[in-house]
Every structure is written in structure tokens, then in C-alpha cells.
Amino acid sequence: MLNFDADRFRSIQGGAVALAGPLRTTVGELVDGGARNLFFLGAGGAGVLMQPAALLLGRSSAFPVKLVHAAEIVAMGDVSLGEGSIVVIPSLSGTTKEAIEVLEYAQGRGAKVIALTGHANTPVAQKADHNFSNFAEDDTSSEMFYLLSLVVVLSILDARGELAGPSFDAIVGELSLLPELLVSVKESFEPRAEELAGLYRDEPYHIITGAGSAW
């Protein structure tokens, strides 16, 4: 596959799955300690990637969850953000200006911040109450953030006794197979990808749309 290092991809996504245990412990302690809501406060693409997890929690639990753009909540505020709030801030670089600002804003209101970063020696990672770093770069960060945000939500459901079906550990065991399966999916789509590249390489712009979970 063009410009794709399968071993590197497996390593990065496997690293994300490996954080499931520590994340479960941290989130469980916060929930058991009286957490009353969850905020996903990201900026740019990293913030958008939190949407599936936020939707899953909203549909599966009475535990309040909000997904708000980092700069928006700093500018406009939210009365439900404060003591007892868990704030999840994804930032691949760990240096995103809006991420640093919303982290300090949330902590100033008494919230506990969980940072999901690609680099540990960065302001977001170091300022957060709890940081979970897994090296990634732009070409591998989407899957990583999907996995980590999913684990956060599964941890809340598990801590609250709302996890229907398989246990948390069983789900994580299945997720450990995902890096290899994702490589297989990419490999199987390669002929179609090459075809699409030939068809659309000269188009001046693209509109990407979808329905349901694909969107």
C-alpha cells in the first residue's frame, strides 16, 4: 500500500488498546469518587473524533455527556462544568493552543482533566490531572482517538454497572484484535482505492458525505 507502514500502524493502535486497563482504573476512581458528568472538549479534528463515543454514552447511560468545541466553551461557558466533571481533552501534539486554554479553564472550575495525547513531554500532557500518551502521528491518530474515547465511555458504563452484554475485559480482548483486522481491511480496499484515485485525481474539490455510523 502506498506510503503505509503496516507494522507501525499495528504498533500504534496496539499501544492505544494497551491503555485500556489504566484508563479503566482512572475513570472508575473518578466515577466512584462522585463524578456527575463528562465533557469531551477537543479542538479541530481531534475534537470531532470524540463524537461517536459521546453518542454511545448518551444512548447507553443516564450519565450526562457533552461534546463541545474547546474554544466555544471557554468563550461561552457552561453551568454544568465544574466540581464533579470529568473533562477529556484529545490533543495529538499536546501543544494545541485551544486545548491548553480549555484545560486551564476546566481545572479552574474544579473539573478533573483526562488528556489523550500523542506525546508525553508536552503542555497538555503535563498540565492534565491524568494523562494517557500513545505515540501517533496524523496518519494514525484517527483510529487511536476512536479507540481511546471508546475505552473512556466503556469505563464509565462498567463503573456504573450499565455495561450490557460482554464484560469490559472481554470487549478489550476483542479490541486487541482490531489493529490487525484494520490492516486487513485496508489491504482489501487497496484495488478500489487505486481505482478511485484514478477517477478523481484531477477533481478540484471533494464532498464527502454518509449516513448513520458511516457519517
Side-chain angles (χ1 to χ4, degrees):
M1 290 179 282
L2 183 65
N3 295 328
F4 180 72
D5 186 332
D7 289 337
R8 172 173 166 273
F9 179 86
R10 293 186 189 96
S11 175
I12 290 171
Q13 307 315 324
V17 176
L19 291 174
L23 260 171
R24 170 62 181 87
T25 298
T26 295
V27 172
E29 289 174 350
L30 292 173
V31 171
D32 293 342
R36 56 185 178 81
N37 56 33
L38 172 69
F39 282 80
F40 285 107
L41 302 179
V48 174
L49 293 169
M50 303 293 104
Q51 187 175 45
L55 289 172
L56 175 62
L57 185 60
R59 292 169 179 169
S60 306
S61 174
F63 194 75
V65 57
K66 292 186 178 183
L67 186 151
V68 187
H69 191 280
E72 180 179 332
I73 200 167
V74 171
M76 304 297 291
D78 189 309
V79 296
S80 59
L81 175 64
E83 294 281 349
S85 295
I86 301 172
V87 170
V88 175
I89 300 177
S91 176
L92 179 62
S93 68
T95 61
T96 311
K97 177 184 175 183
E98 293 87 349
I100 297 171
E101 290 176 349
V102 79
L103 186 156
E104 294 173 344
Y105 176 79
Q107 287 179 329
R109 294 179 62 88
K112 295 298 183 182
V113 174
I114 296 175
L116 307 176
T117 61
H119 305 276
N121 190 27
T122 57
V124 172
Q126 293 177 344
K127 289 174 178 286
D129 298 288
H130 308 278
N131 175 64
F132 296 88
S133 289
N134 180 58
F135 171 77
E137 294 177 320
D138 285 341
D139 61 327
T140 54
S141 62
S142 293
E143 294 94 335
M144 181 189 80
F145 281 133
Y146 279 138
L147 282 166
L148 292 176
S149 59
L150 173 60
V151 169
V152 169
V153 166
L154 292 174
S155 297
I156 291 175
L157 293 173
D158 191 34
R160 287 171 52 86
E162 296 174 323
L163 191 59
S167 68
F168 178 87
D169 289 339
I171 295 173
V172 172
E174 292 291 316
L175 289 176
S176 69
L177 306 176
L178 196 57
E180 183 62 45
L181 293 173
L182 287 172
V183 170
S184 298
V185 170
K186 292 173 185 291
E187 289 173 342
S188 69
F189 191 73
E190 186 67 8
R192 178 61 173 158
E194 185 173 1
E195 179 185 353
L196 292 172
L199 285 172
Y200 299 114
R201 65 184 180 183
D202 295 323
E203 292 297 323
Y205 67 94
H206 301 83
I207 298 173
I208 301 174
T209 187
S213 60
W215 181 84

